[in-house]
Amino acid sequence: MNKYSLLDKKYIEGNYVPQLCEYYDRSDMVNTTFQFNHAHTLAEIMYVRHGMISLKIGNDTIMLGRKQYVWIDAGVPHQNLYFETDKVSMINIEYNYTIDDSIPSLKNLYNQYEPISYLFDHPKPYKVFTDHDNSIYLLLKQMTQTGTLTEDTKKLNSILCSELLLLLGNYWRIEESRGENNNFLQSIHHYLQEHYAKKIEIKDIALHLGISSNYLQKKYKKLSNSTITEQLNNIRLEHAKSIKETENISITKIADRVGMTSSRQLQKLFLKKYQINIQDLPKMN
């Protein structure tokens, strides 16, 4: 983690609260934006209302379109590369933290609300989101319409910024969880594709992933609405179908090559899946 990061856990040890420092709401970004690489001690949210823009963040290049936004941590170099459309309208805010004991602190929010704790427990240099329900846009719009940053508007924007971080943490958690679940399923499918021709037991996959067999089966069922055995049989049937269409060998040999226990099992499952006997499957020209 870089030394300027606003996800450093030192900020949940005192009465730190978010402090809005800079903001703008512009419809003429193409004509008013300088394109230079920079980093600062403020975290930033860049929200595209209309148009499309390419950014370089660290060593990565990303593209933002309508209703997409990026959160960039303090201290992370970033640069507007080029505008993909003639007109780009954006809302940007930049914030850091200040000490204030009159409103709920990040420490209190961290201890009481899982989205904030997730945010600080899973730090990233940047994160890209899509604002499906306009919730982020509405908050950003409120923050940019408060006018001059007086003491009263600063406090209001601190509260709004805290609400913004709660939303970000929630979306962060959902997307990370979705990514972890996809990786979980992909790891299992890859293992099945690699070993389908051999005898596979659930305990073999569980050992490969470093988890218990019971947890493996329950999680897979929940995420895919099928069992690992069903998925394995589908893979074996697809390979059996390909072999039957391209090679002139017996059903017994096909069953053996795809890891089925017998030709009878292969025939039964094949008929159920494809509504045709495997013996009647025509060979491809």
Side-chain angles (χ1 to χ4, degrees):
M1 182 180 295
N2 75 76
K3 64 180 180 179
Y4 300 110
S5 176
L6 292 189
L7 295 183
D8 192 309
K9 286 194 175 180
K10 67 184 179 183
Y11 294 116
I12 57 173
E13 295 174 355
N15 292 324
Y16 289 99
V17 299
Q19 172 181 250
L20 183 66
C21 300
E22 302 285 346
Y23 62 85
Y24 63 79
D25 183 353
R26 296 177 184 162
S27 60
D28 59 344
M29 290 294 297
V30 176
N31 299 319
T32 61
T33 304
F34 297 102
Q35 299 175 0
F36 62 93
N37 198 26
H38 64 287
H40 39 66
T41 57
L42 304 172
E44 183 172 5
I45 293 177
M46 306 175 68
Y47 185 107
V48 177
R49 293 196 303 174
H50 300 286
M52 191 170 291
I53 181 175
S54 294
L55 304 170
K56 184 174 183 181
I57 305 177
N59 294 320
D60 300 333
T61 299
I62 67 168
M63 186 174 292
L64 296 179
R66 182 175 179 271
K67 296 184 69 172
Q68 289 188 305
Y69 59 99
V70 59
W71 175 88
I72 307 173
D73 199 2
V76 176
H78 53 283
Q79 174 184 3
N80 298 332
L81 292 181
Y82 50 89
F83 296 98
E84 300 285 343
T85 52
D86 293 336
K87 183 177 181 181
V88 177
S89 174
M90 297 179 67
I91 298 179
N92 281 34
I93 69 160
E94 298 176 2
Y95 71 90
N96 58 13
Y97 303 134
T98 188
I99 300 290
D100 189 337
D101 58 5
S102 66
I103 60 176
S105 68
L106 289 169
K107 178 180 180 180
N108 290 333
L109 295 175
Y110 178 89
N111 291 328
Q112 295 182 40
Y113 298 102
E114 187 176 352
I116 293 294
S117 61
Y118 193 93
L119 201 64
F120 280 87
D121 291 343
H122 300 79
K124 302 280 185 182
Y126 73 91
K127 192 79 174 173
V128 177
F129 302 90
T130 299
D131 189 21
H132 296 289
D133 59 3
N134 287 330
S135 56
I136 297 295
Y137 170 75
L138 293 174
L139 265 178
L140 292 176
K141 196 66 177 176
Q142 278 185 277
M143 297 167 73
T144 59
Q145 288 180 336
T146 52
T148 305
L149 290 176
T150 63
E151 288 305 312
D152 287 338
T153 58
K154 285 180 180 178
K155 194 172 295 291
L156 171 61
N157 278 323
S158 288
I159 295 171
L160 291 173
C161 202
S162 293
E163 186 176 350
L164 182 64
L165 292 181
L166 278 165
L167 283 176
L168 280 179
N170 191 46
Y171 297 146
W172 199 303
R173 177 183 56 177
I174 291 171
E175 292 202 4
E176 294 274 314
S177 176
R178 186 180 295 122
E180 290 172 2
N181 289 338
N182 287 339
N183 289 337
F184 172 81
L185 292 175
Q186 288 173 7
S187 295
I188 294 172
H189 293 172
H190 179 74
Y191 185 92
L192 296 179
Q193 286 285 4
E194 287 287 311
H195 300 89
Y196 73 90
K198 305 174 183 177
K199 181 181 179 181
I200 298 178
E201 296 184 6
I202 298 298
K203 65 180 182 180
D204 299 325
I205 307 171
L207 182 62
H208 175 71
L209 297 178
I211 57 179
S212 71
S213 297
N214 187 47
Y215 176 78
L216 168 64
Q217 294 181 91
K218 285 184 177 180
K219 184 171 181 178
Y220 187 88
K221 177 72 173 179
K222 180 180 179 180
L223 295 177
S224 67
N225 201 32
S226 65
T227 67
I228 293 176
T229 299
E230 288 170 342
Q231 178 61 25
L232 175 58
N233 284 335
N234 284 333
I235 291 172
R236 284 171 167 167
L237 290 173
E238 288 170 3
H239 284 281
K241 182 173 182 289
S242 177
I243 294 171
K244 180 63 172 67
E245 290 175 332
T246 57
E247 299 182 38
N248 188 24
I249 62 175
S250 68
I251 305 303
T252 300
K253 288 184 178 179
I254 294 176
D256 184 62
R257 280 178 55 175
V258 300
M260 292 285 189
T261 56
S262 66
S263 60
R264 183 178 179 181
Q265 181 196 28
L266 172 58
Q267 290 169 314
K268 180 180 178 181
L269 292 175
F270 196 94
L271 178 61
K272 182 178 180 181
K273 180 177 175 63
Y274 296 109
Q275 287 79 53
I276 186 175
N277 290 315
I278 188 170
Q279 298 94 327
D280 299 331
L281 193 68
K283 190 173 181 180
M284 295 176 62
N285 294 326

